[in-house]
Amino acid sequence: MATGRGRLLQLHWLGLLARRPALGGFCSVHGSAEFRKGPSVRLATGCTTVKHCAHQDPHPETSSTSCPVCLESLPSEILLKILSYLDAVTLLCTGCVNWRFYHLANDNFIWIRIYSAAFSPKRSNWKVNSVEKTAVSMNLLSVGDKEAGYWKREYITKQITSVKAALARVLQPVNPYLGLPVKIREALRISGLGWVIILREKSGREYVMEHVDLSINDSSVTILWFGRDWPRLATLSTLDLCGVMPVFMDQSKTPTKNGPRWHSLIAKYNLSNLAEATMMGCDTLVRLFCLHPGLAVGLWKREEELAFVMAHLHFHHLVERSALGSAAVPYELPPHTPLLDDSPECGLHGYQLHVDMHSGGVFCLCGTFRNLFTKRGYIENEYAKLIVISSKNNVEHVPLIGKVGLSWKTNIFDGCIKSCSVMDITLLDECGKPFWCFSSPVCMRASSGPPDGPHFLGQTYYVDYVDPEGRVHMELVWIEETEEYFIVSLVLYLSVAKINRWFGTKY
């Protein structure tokens, strides 16, 4: 069917071109992709040329003599006929060639056919009444009255809406123990969701880099970028972390990176003074820096240039943040309705904590702590103290399994930065809803003074994390005999302002 149409169009073009003088030269439209139909016709999005026979030959398709003719010299009616056979993705790509093809690819009659084919009502055994027939005919008659591109925008908007609805259905089941979606991996698979970083120079030039490696953990995802063609660090000003997702989601096909994609800004980071920031750790090749929220940047020791970038994203609202924002504005969380509780200790009890420490797919800590509470007397300096592991209770102390270290790799080297790791925190309220969640690299620092609590036989280390919603303080002791770390204290400091907003209290 498609071959017959192409043959008819080919003969029609040759007939039109035979009536006009031969034209020399090629069109200079940027691009490279080519599409071939038949032995004598060559369609190219980059060159946009049509080869045809220059002399009268009864079999023009077998002629060896040809001269190039610009595709743009064809009448708009013929070009519209050609574009009418394209699918939505190819039509959008064609509109990026130049201004003429952009306006032609916005034709409402083409797009309403695509729209009707994609979103036509389901078949029914009932006959369509005269009112419905009249509405359809009036809709077709009004196509010419709409501004150019109207039905293209309608089609894209409805496609995005359908994608959001499909993802909402997949993410609806929630794990009662973690308070997070059960099918997060399936949502990432069917949506074709990926992540890019946009490195922006001080001059305004941008570098868009696709992620190279991806690992999915119990409650977070780790994304890695590395390569040989990094721009110089001294020229960079900012780094944007964005989620990218195909606009047109087809569950029966593998998502492609060449089609139209939706960008959603997750976080923006400042790289101007990165080399002067506080270093988390280092090994023989790289120095590691942390930028909040959840970004680890590795610099080569020798050149002070970028070696790798590693992002850590928690599962909580991961798909929404990566798909439902815009290229300039991050996704805004829906407003939270305060819980109704007449208890005088509302917002201070019933917490459940799940904490992971891992790197490179290897977990050294995976623990769940239930029935956590605090008291009014523990509120100090705008924080409510939530004791998870007490240094005074030896029964609560837990070990870290295996060696602690943050693994990294590039296309040439790999390594592990000791005393660093990735911490995932998922704190649920009394109703099992996520109250505070994050995933971030952390480091263990040796204590320079005597411990605040009981004295332990071994070197003491501290792990600290701070963000606007709270703080985490962990105390560890290195046991030389067994060569392992023991967590002897774990305390969360919850922001009183967050508690008041969440529970409607006035502490």
Side-chain angles (χ1 to χ4, degrees), residues 413-424:
F413 301 105
D414 58 20
C416 182
I417 302 177
K418 297 180 179 180
S419 75
C420 293
S421 184
V422 180
M423 176 181 286
D424 297 340

Side-chain angles (χ1 to χ4, degrees), residues 234-249:
T235 64
L236 298 178
S237 60
T238 59
L239 182 151
D240 291 355
L241 173 60
C242 298
V244 289
M245 188 177 68
V247 175
F248 307 136
M249 184 177 68

Side-chain angles (χ1 to χ4, degrees), residues 277-348:
T278 303
M279 182 178 63
M280 286 188 59
C282 65
D283 59 12
T284 57
L285 294 176
V286 300
R287 297 195 301 155
L288 185 68
F289 297 86
C290 179
L291 299 178
H292 294 287
L295 193 73
V297 180
L299 299 183
W300 296 115
K301 274 187 173 182
R302 187 171 181 179
E303 296 88 1
E304 287 293 338
E305 296 294 344
L306 290 172
F308 62 87
V309 174
M310 192 184 302
H312 308 278
L313 302 176
H314 197 277
F315 279 172
H316 183 49
H317 290 305
L318 171 63
V319 176
E320 294 87 342
R321 290 184 295 147
S322 302
L324 303 186
S326 69
V329 181
Y331 168 75
E332 185 176 353
L333 296 176
H336 173 74
T337 303
L339 302 174
L340 299 178
D341 191 345
D342 298 333
S343 171
E345 300 294 324
C346 175
L348 303 180

